[in-house]
Amino acid sequence: MPEERVLSPDINFIRDLKKVGGETVKKCYQCATCAVVCPMSPDERPFPRKEMIMAQLGQKESLLADPDIWYCHNCNDCSKYCPRGARPGDVLSALRAKFINENAIPSFMAKIVRNPILALAIPFVILFLVLAAEGHLHIPEGKIVYSHFFSIHTIENLFGALVALAGLSYIISLVRFWGKLKSLNGTDYKMKFGDAFVETIVEFLKHTKFTKCEANADRKNGHMLVFYGFVGLFITTCWITFYYYVMKIHSPISLADPMKWWANLSALSLLVGILIIIGNHMKDKGINTKTSSFDWTFIIMILLLAITGLLTELIRLAGIRQLAYPMYFVHLMFVFYTIVYFPYSKLAHMGYRTLAITYYKMVGKDVM
Ligand code: SF4
Ligand code: SF4
């Protein structure tokens, strides 16, 4: 006789899920069309129907350890064909947002990120206090050099400490997720972690799984440009540090320098990628789907990060001091937002998705 299991629905979880974009979850009548059309769904664990049932029953703990919610690439092929308008693609997206919220350490940071005004007010106050402490609450005279406003060491110390804190918080969250994956899904490994991890990273770099989307196939280009834009900007930061400490080349660096070319191309990649993503979200593709406020907030913040970054450079080149320094200040607010809130924003997807796919490869359940 099968083991009897008593399910205790978490009503608050269902309520919260509806608030973050999963309001259609109760419409599902479990016809399984979504699991049939989903290009990522394997026969032995068909999703997203299983997640729709679990969400309707408020099975929070099982859902938050479910690698399949990260396997989903939000292509919305399922939402296109769902006969009930239950928008399973959006419900899975809401589950991921809920997961990031629940798994965040410290939890209050996740609440801050959900309030964009507060999330931006914090860097404003911190940067303002730093300027005040350095006695730089004025527009510097002469040639525009941003290190005359915020010194290089101030930026390094401030952002270095913030990156360390955000990184530590993110690593703890990822380790917790890995523990949940193992405890609820088993450890019958067929592949070593290192091999599975490298394979997953190669797939990410090529965006292989995105090519399976049908209804939302054009998402791939925008996503890739944003991804490589961030990678490029990270390399730029390392490059500038190398220039400063090893080559003793200080800012402002000539526009003809290869580092500048690289930095500007990376920023453009980010900007074009995010514009494609916005266009994609606004385009009517005849799919019943809705972008959540969690996703929109992130998209707008990244757009503003790219725009203020480019304006900071253009206004400096135009020599408008009164505008250049305030623009740099605003840009740093968005840099702060991106880095410090990384573990609590949509960017946190990267690590969780990597671990989920790595885990499936290790237990021999990857579909590709
Ligand atoms: S989400 Fe839609 S397609 Fe999927 S099982 Fe429910 S009703 Fe059917
Ligand atoms: S959004 Fe796409 S990948 Fe995700 S469950 Fe639906 S069909 Fe599958």
Side-chain angles (χ1 to χ4, degrees), residues 27-35 48-49 52 78 81-88:
K27 284 190 174 184
C28 170
Y29 63 175
Q30 296 154 28
C31 67
T33 306
C34 52
R49 178 190 174 226
M52 294 300 279
C78 53
Y81 292 105
C82 172
R84 287 278 290 166
R87 306 204 321 252

Side-chain angles (χ1 to χ4, degrees), residues 303-313 327 330-332 334:
L303 176 68
L304 292 172
L305 172 76
I307 290 176
T308 54
L310 287 168
L311 283 178
T312 298
E313 180 168 16
M327 184 55 68
V330 173
H331 178 58
L332 286 181
F334 289 107

Side-chain angles (χ1 to χ4, degrees), residues 200-321:
T200 306
I201 295 294
V202 171
E203 274 182 21
F204 269 19
L205 295 177
K206 294 185 187 166
H207 277 49
T208 317
K209 286 187 164 61
F210 275 76
T211 53
K212 289 194 152 202
C213 297
E214 178 206 299
N216 229 347
D218 46 352
R219 281 178 67 241
K220 183 184 169 191
N221 297 336
H223 203 273
M224 269 190 120
L225 283 168
V226 168
F227 176 76
Y228 282 108
F230 273 124
V231 171
L233 290 172
F234 173 73
I235 293 172
T236 303
T237 308
C238 300
W239 200 332
I240 293 174
T241 310
F242 176 76
Y243 267 12
Y244 189 82
Y245 286 106
V246 182
M247 309 279 292
K248 307 289 177 203
I249 300 173
H250 296 170
S251 62
I253 293 163
S254 158
L255 264 186
D257 192 286
M259 189 277 285
K260 274 283 176 190
W261 279 89
W262 178 267
N264 287 332
L265 275 177
S266 304
L268 267 181
S269 170
L270 187 65
L271 181 62
V272 174
I274 205 73
L275 287 174
I276 291 175
I277 288 175
I278 291 173
N280 196 33
H281 277 278
M282 296 179 83
K283 201 162 43 180
D284 180 6
K285 300 191 201 115
I287 312 172
N288 183 13
T289 178
K290 202 169 125 192
T291 306
S292 67
S293 60
F294 180 70
D295 285 3
W296 268 128
T297 304
F298 173 74
I299 288 170
I300 301 294
M301 292 297 173
I302 298 305
L303 176 68
L304 292 172
L305 172 76
I307 290 176
T308 54
L310 287 168
L311 283 178
T312 298
E313 180 168 16
L314 291 175
I315 297 171
R316 178 179 68 79
L317 292 174
I320 312 169
R321 275 190 307 118

